[in-house]
Amino acid sequence: EVQLVESGGGLVQAGGSLRLSCVVSGFAFDEYAIAWFRQAPGKEREGVSCISNYDKSTYYIDSVKGRFTISSDSAKNTVYLQMNSLKPEDTAVYYCAVDLYEFCNEATIQASHDYWGQGTQVTVSS
């Protein structure tokens, strides 16, 4: 059974930092990409970033480039999202997700994913 468990969310002031973690089990961690999504109240879910454990490619949407960094630790089956210079518009529930996508690019985070975590709330106050 594929399981994803996110943690690390919280309340932070604008300009602050958080590091989200996603522990993946029951999945070929080293062979596929893992993505982070977020959904703000009243808005559609959007892909934020992904990393391929297959070829180490990464992708970020424009609004987080230079502020967020995605990384992966195969020994721990964990993907991290380091979020710096947080803005109120980053407030959302953040989810990690996987599917059988080897590579990470814009198409990956726009594609459907079958396996999701429960989400972790990130709130950035102004």
Side-chain angles (χ1 to χ4, degrees), residues 3-36:
Q3 289 189 326
L4 298 91
V5 179
E6 303 98 333
S7 62
L11 173 63
V12 64
Q13 289 188 332
S17 298
L18 286 172
R19 188 177 79 157
L20 306 184
S21 299
C22 171
V23 180
V24 183
S25 60
F27 191 76
F29 187 86
D30 289 336
E31 298 180 16
Y32 299 103
I34 298 174
W36 283 98

mmCIF file of all heavy atoms in Angstrom, residues 3-36:
data_model
loop_
_atom_site.group_PDB
_atom_site.id
_atom_site.type_symbol
_atom_site.label_atom_id
_atom_site.label_comp_id
_atom_site.label_asym_id
_atom_site.label_seq_id
_atom_site.Cartn_x
_atom_site.Cartn_y
_atom_site.Cartn_z
ATOM 1 N N GLN A 3 1.730 4.914 0.814
ATOM 2 C CA GLN A 3 1.356 5.905 1.832
ATOM 3 C C GLN A 3 2.303 7.100 1.755
ATOM 4 O O GLN A 3 3.505 6.928 1.574
ATOM 5 C CB GLN A 3 1.403 5.299 3.226
ATOM 6 C CG GLN A 3 0.293 4.293 3.505
ATOM 7 C CD GLN A 3 0.242 3.884 4.960
ATOM 8 O OE1 GLN A 3 1.252 3.787 5.637
ATOM 9 N NE2 GLN A 3 -0.967 3.652 5.450
ATOM 10 N N LEU A 4 1.735 8.281 1.886
ATOM 11 C CA LEU A 4 2.511 9.505 1.940
ATOM 12 C C LEU A 4 2.069 10.272 3.175
ATOM 13 O O LEU A 4 0.864 10.446 3.392
ATOM 14 C CB LEU A 4 2.296 10.366 0.700
ATOM 15 C CG LEU A 4 2.707 9.757 -0.644
ATOM 16 C CD1 LEU A 4 1.545 9.017 -1.293
ATOM 17 C CD2 LEU A 4 3.229 10.836 -1.581
ATOM 18 N N VAL A 5 3.021 10.723 3.961
ATOM 19 C CA VAL A 5 2.712 11.441 5.186
ATOM 20 C C VAL A 5 3.498 12.748 5.201
ATOM 21 O O VAL A 5 4.730 12.735 5.238
ATOM 22 C CB VAL A 5 3.045 10.614 6.433
ATOM 23 C CG1 VAL A 5 2.731 11.409 7.690
ATOM 24 C CG2 VAL A 5 2.283 9.289 6.417
ATOM 25 N N GLU A 6 2.754 13.867 5.174
ATOM 26 C CA GLU A 6 3.380 15.181 5.218
ATOM 27 C C GLU A 6 3.463 15.682 6.656
ATOM 28 O O GLU A 6 2.656 15.316 7.506
ATOM 29 C CB GLU A 6 2.594 16.216 4.411
ATOM 30 C CG GLU A 6 2.364 15.884 2.949
ATOM 31 C CD GLU A 6 0.996 15.281 2.709
ATOM 32 O OE1 GLU A 6 0.466 14.655 3.658
ATOM 33 O OE2 GLU A 6 0.463 15.410 1.604
ATOM 34 N N SER A 7 4.435 16.528 6.888
ATOM 35 C CA SER A 7 4.564 17.202 8.173
ATOM 36 C C SER A 7 5.348 18.486 7.966
ATOM 37 O O SER A 7 5.926 18.704 6.894
ATOM 38 C CB SER A 7 5.269 16.313 9.212
ATOM 39 O OG SER A 7 6.586 16.002 8.785
ATOM 40 N N GLY A 8 5.357 19.332 9.002
ATOM 41 C CA GLY A 8 6.173 20.535 8.950
ATOM 42 C C GLY A 8 5.428 21.821 8.742
ATOM 43 O O GLY A 8 6.016 22.906 8.776
ATOM 44 N N GLY A 9 4.127 21.729 8.517
ATOM 45 C CA GLY A 9 3.368 22.953 8.345
ATOM 46 C C GLY A 9 3.238 23.718 9.652
ATOM 47 O O GLY A 9 3.634 23.244 10.715
ATOM 48 N N GLY A 10 2.683 24.918 9.550
ATOM 49 C CA GLY A 10 2.493 25.724 10.744
ATOM 50 C C GLY A 10 2.158 27.154 10.407
ATOM 51 O O GLY A 10 1.869 27.482 9.251
ATOM 52 N N LEU A 11 2.201 27.991 11.437
ATOM 53 C CA LEU A 11 1.927 29.418 11.299
ATOM 54 C C LEU A 11 3.247 30.173 11.362
ATOM 55 O O LEU A 11 4.043 29.972 12.293
ATOM 56 C CB LEU A 11 0.996 29.870 12.426
ATOM 57 C CG LEU A 11 0.740 31.374 12.546
ATOM 58 C CD1 LEU A 11 0.036 31.896 11.298
ATOM 59 C CD2 LEU A 11 -0.076 31.657 13.809
ATOM 60 N N VAL A 12 3.459 31.037 10.390
ATOM 61 C CA VAL A 12 4.711 31.786 10.332
ATOM 62 C C VAL A 12 4.418 33.190 9.820
ATOM 63 O O VAL A 12 3.450 33.386 9.076
ATOM 64 C CB VAL A 12 5.737 31.058 9.429
ATOM 65 C CG1 VAL A 12 5.258 31.005 7.989
ATOM 66 C CG2 VAL A 12 7.116 31.674 9.535
ATOM 67 N N GLN A 13 5.225 34.141 10.228
ATOM 68 C CA GLN A 13 5.056 35.501 9.731
ATOM 69 C C GLN A 13 5.649 35.623 8.334
ATOM 70 O O GLN A 13 6.543 34.866 7.939
ATOM 71 C CB GLN A 13 5.751 36.481 10.667
ATOM 72 C CG GLN A 13 5.054 36.661 12.001
ATOM 73 C CD GLN A 13 5.671 37.774 12.822
ATOM 74 O OE1 GLN A 13 6.855 38.067 12.693
ATOM 75 N NE2 GLN A 13 4.868 38.390 13.673
ATOM 76 N N ALA A 14 5.154 36.590 7.607
ATOM 77 C CA ALA A 14 5.692 36.862 6.273
ATOM 78 C C ALA A 14 7.196 37.083 6.356
ATOM 79 O O ALA A 14 7.681 37.750 7.269
ATOM 80 C CB ALA A 14 5.009 38.084 5.669
ATOM 81 N N GLY A 15 7.908 36.487 5.410
ATOM 82 C CA GLY A 15 9.356 36.549 5.420
ATOM 83 C C GLY A 15 10.012 35.383 6.127
ATOM 84 O O GLY A 15 11.234 35.208 6.032
ATOM 85 N N GLY A 16 9.216 34.605 6.830
ATOM 86 C CA GLY A 16 9.741 33.469 7.564
ATOM 87 C C GLY A 16 9.935 32.243 6.696
ATOM 88 O O GLY A 16 9.744 32.281 5.473
ATOM 89 N N SER A 17 10.308 31.145 7.352
ATOM 90 C CA SER A 17 10.622 29.903 6.647
ATOM 91 C C SER A 17 9.946 28.713 7.310
ATOM 92 O O SER A 17 9.696 28.716 8.521
ATOM 93 C CB SER A 17 12.140 29.655 6.650
ATOM 94 O OG SER A 17 12.846 30.683 5.984
ATOM 95 N N LEU A 18 9.687 27.710 6.503
ATOM 96 C CA LEU A 18 9.209 26.410 6.977
ATOM 97 C C LEU A 18 9.829 25.336 6.096
ATOM 98 O O LEU A 18 10.124 25.585 4.918
ATOM 99 C CB LEU A 18 7.691 26.296 6.897
ATOM 100 C CG LEU A 18 6.840 27.052 7.913
ATOM 101 C CD1 LEU A 18 5.360 26.961 7.522
ATOM 102 C CD2 LEU A 18 7.052 26.526 9.315
ATOM 103 N N ARG A 19 9.996 24.147 6.654
ATOM 104 C CA ARG A 19 10.425 23.012 5.850
ATOM 105 C C ARG A 19 9.390 21.895 5.972
ATOM 106 O O ARG A 19 9.151 21.385 7.069
ATOM 107 C CB ARG A 19 11.800 22.482 6.272
ATOM 108 C CG ARG A 19 12.322 21.420 5.312
ATOM 109 C CD ARG A 19 13.704 20.921 5.661
ATOM 110 N NE ARG A 19 13.678 19.939 6.748
ATOM 111 C CZ ARG A 19 14.636 19.038 6.967
ATOM 112 N NH1 ARG A 19 15.691 19.004 6.162
ATOM 113 N NH2 ARG A 19 14.547 18.207 7.976
ATOM 114 N N LEU A 20 8.805 21.558 4.857
ATOM 115 C CA LEU A 20 7.839 20.471 4.810
ATOM 116 C C LEU A 20 8.558 19.168 4.490
ATOM 117 O O LEU A 20 9.525 19.147 3.733
ATOM 118 C CB LEU A 20 6.774 20.737 3.750
ATOM 119 C CG LEU A 20 6.027 22.065 3.845
ATOM 120 C CD1 LEU A 20 4.936 22.117 2.761
ATOM 121 C CD2 LEU A 20 5.445 22.291 5.214
ATOM 122 N N SER A 21 8.045 18.085 5.054
ATOM 123 C CA SER A 21 8.580 16.761 4.795
ATOM 124 C C SER A 21 7.471 15.858 4.272
ATOM 125 O O SER A 21 6.306 16.003 4.675
ATOM 126 C CB SER A 21 9.159 16.142 6.068
ATOM 127 O OG SER A 21 10.208 16.908 6.594
ATOM 128 N N CYS A 22 7.834 14.931 3.422
ATOM 129 C CA CYS A 22 6.891 13.946 2.892
ATOM 130 C C CYS A 22 7.585 12.593 2.926
ATOM 131 O O CYS A 22 8.541 12.371 2.179
ATOM 132 C CB CYS A 22 6.477 14.316 1.474
ATOM 133 S SG CYS A 22 5.513 13.041 0.637
ATOM 134 N N VAL A 23 7.113 11.725 3.793
ATOM 135 C CA VAL A 23 7.661 10.368 3.894
ATOM 136 C C VAL A 23 6.808 9.441 3.043
ATOM 137 O O VAL A 23 5.583 9.392 3.201
ATOM 138 C CB VAL A 23 7.686 9.885 5.349
ATOM 139 C CG1 VAL A 23 8.263 8.473 5.420
ATOM 140 C CG2 VAL A 23 8.509 10.836 6.221
ATOM 141 N N VAL A 24 7.470 8.719 2.160
ATOM 142 C CA VAL A 24 6.780 7.851 1.207
ATOM 143 C C VAL A 24 7.084 6.390 1.534
ATOM 144 O O VAL A 24 8.248 6.031 1.752
ATOM 145 C CB VAL A 24 7.224 8.149 -0.233
ATOM 146 C CG1 VAL A 24 6.445 7.289 -1.228
ATOM 147 C CG2 VAL A 24 7.040 9.635 -0.549
ATOM 148 N N SER A 25 6.062 5.556 1.552
ATOM 149 C CA SER A 25 6.262 4.128 1.764
ATOM 150 C C SER A 25 5.425 3.346 0.767
ATOM 151 O O SER A 25 4.443 3.857 0.223
ATOM 152 C CB SER A 25 5.900 3.733 3.204
ATOM 153 O OG SER A 25 4.555 4.038 3.478
ATOM 154 N N GLY A 26 5.840 2.096 0.523
ATOM 155 C CA GLY A 26 5.097 1.239 -0.395
ATOM 156 C C GLY A 26 5.218 1.651 -1.848
ATOM 157 O O GLY A 26 4.362 1.287 -2.665
ATOM 158 N N PHE A 27 6.269 2.381 -2.184
ATOM 159 C CA PHE A 27 6.429 2.923 -3.536
ATOM 160 C C PHE A 27 7.899 2.889 -3.898
ATOM 161 O O PHE A 27 8.760 3.005 -3.041
ATOM 162 C CB PHE A 27 5.901 4.358 -3.568
ATOM 163 C CG PHE A 27 5.759 4.946 -4.946
ATOM 164 C CD1 PHE A 27 4.707 4.575 -5.766
ATOM 165 C CD2 PHE A 27 6.670 5.869 -5.420
ATOM 166 C CE1 PHE A 27 4.556 5.120 -7.029
ATOM 167 C CE2 PHE A 27 6.538 6.422 -6.680
ATOM 168 C CZ PHE A 27 5.476 6.047 -7.479
ATOM 169 N N ALA A 28 8.177 2.717 -5.198
ATOM 170 C CA ALA A 28 9.564 2.671 -5.679
ATOM 171 C C ALA A 28 10.151 4.081 -5.683
ATOM 172 O O ALA A 28 10.246 4.744 -6.720
ATOM 173 C CB ALA A 28 9.605 2.058 -7.071
ATOM 174 N N PHE A 29 10.552 4.512 -4.515
ATOM 175 C CA PHE A 29 10.947 5.909 -4.294
ATOM 176 C C PHE A 29 12.016 6.377 -5.268
ATOM 177 O O PHE A 29 11.967 7.508 -5.754
ATOM 178 C CB PHE A 29 11.455 6.041 -2.851
ATOM 179 C CG PHE A 29 11.752 7.441 -2.417
ATOM 180 C CD1 PHE A 29 10.746 8.245 -1.896
ATOM 181 C CD2 PHE A 29 13.031 7.958 -2.494
ATOM 182 C CE1 PHE A 29 11.015 9.540 -1.478
ATOM 183 C CE2 PHE A 29 13.319 9.243 -2.084
ATOM 184 C CZ PHE A 29 12.294 10.041 -1.577
ATOM 185 N N ASP A 30 12.995 5.530 -5.554
ATOM 186 C CA ASP A 30 14.133 5.945 -6.369
ATOM 187 C C ASP A 30 13.855 5.959 -7.863
ATOM 188 O O ASP A 30 14.724 6.353 -8.643
ATOM 189 C CB ASP A 30 15.329 5.033 -6.094
ATOM 190 C CG ASP A 30 15.935 5.268 -4.723
ATOM 191 O OD1 ASP A 30 15.749 6.383 -4.191
ATOM 192 O OD2 ASP A 30 16.581 4.352 -4.194
ATOM 193 N N GLU A 31 12.662 5.574 -8.272
ATOM 194 C CA GLU A 31 12.401 5.417 -9.699
ATOM 195 C C GLU A 31 11.471 6.465 -10.291
ATOM 196 O O GLU A 31 11.344 6.536 -11.524
ATOM 197 C CB GLU A 31 11.831 4.023 -9.952
ATOM 198 C CG GLU A 31 12.789 2.899 -9.567
ATOM 199 C CD GLU A 31 12.191 1.527 -9.828
ATOM 200 O OE1 GLU A 31 11.190 1.444 -10.573
ATOM 201 O OE2 GLU A 31 12.720 0.551 -9.279
ATOM 202 N N TYR A 32 10.845 7.273 -9.459
ATOM 203 C CA TYR A 32 9.808 8.182 -9.963
ATOM 204 C C TYR A 32 9.927 9.575 -9.343
ATOM 205 O O TYR A 32 10.682 9.810 -8.412
ATOM 206 C CB TYR A 32 8.433 7.598 -9.671
ATOM 207 C CG TYR A 32 8.213 6.274 -10.344
ATOM 208 C CD1 TYR A 32 8.292 5.084 -9.624
ATOM 209 C CD2 TYR A 32 7.943 6.203 -11.714
ATOM 210 C CE1 TYR A 32 8.109 3.868 -10.253
ATOM 211 C CE2 TYR A 32 7.762 4.984 -12.342
ATOM 212 C CZ TYR A 32 7.846 3.820 -11.601
ATOM 213 O OH TYR A 32 7.659 2.617 -12.224
ATOM 214 N N ALA A 33 9.147 10.476 -9.911
ATOM 215 C CA ALA A 33 9.098 11.842 -9.406
ATOM 216 C C ALA A 33 8.078 11.965 -8.279
ATOM 217 O O ALA A 33 7.075 11.255 -8.263
ATOM 218 C CB ALA A 33 8.736 12.794 -10.546
ATOM 219 N N ILE A 34 8.344 12.877 -7.392
ATOM 220 C CA ILE A 34 7.422 13.200 -6.307
ATOM 221 C C ILE A 34 7.136 14.692 -6.377
ATOM 222 O O ILE A 34 8.046 15.497 -6.573
ATOM 223 C CB ILE A 34 8.018 12.813 -4.952
ATOM 224 C CG1 ILE A 34 8.243 11.308 -4.897
ATOM 225 C CG2 ILE A 34 7.093 13.255 -3.813
ATOM 226 C CD1 ILE A 34 8.955 10.828 -3.687
ATOM 227 N N ALA A 35 5.873 15.040 -6.221
ATOM 228 C CA ALA A 35 5.458 16.425 -6.417
ATOM 229 C C ALA A 35 4.804 16.997 -5.164
ATOM 230 O O ALA A 35 4.227 16.266 -4.360
ATOM 231 C CB ALA A 35 4.480 16.516 -7.586
ATOM 232 N N TRP A 36 4.910 18.310 -5.043
ATOM 233 C CA TRP A 36 4.193 19.063 -4.013
ATOM 234 C C TRP A 36 3.105 19.899 -4.682
ATOM 235 O O TRP A 36 3.363 20.563 -5.695
ATOM 236 C CB TRP A 36 5.133 19.986 -3.246
ATOM 237 C CG TRP A 36 5.981 19.296 -2.231
ATOM 238 C CD1 TRP A 36 7.275 18.895 -2.385
ATOM 239 C CD2 TRP A 36 5.611 18.933 -0.897
ATOM 240 N NE1 TRP A 36 7.728 18.307 -1.224
ATOM 241 C CE2 TRP A 36 6.726 18.318 -0.297
ATOM 242 C CE3 TRP A 36 4.440 19.073 -0.150
ATOM 243 C CZ2 TRP A 36 6.716 17.840 1.009
ATOM 244 C CZ3 TRP A 36 4.429 18.596 1.159
ATOM 245 C CH2 TRP A 36 5.550 17.987 1.726
#
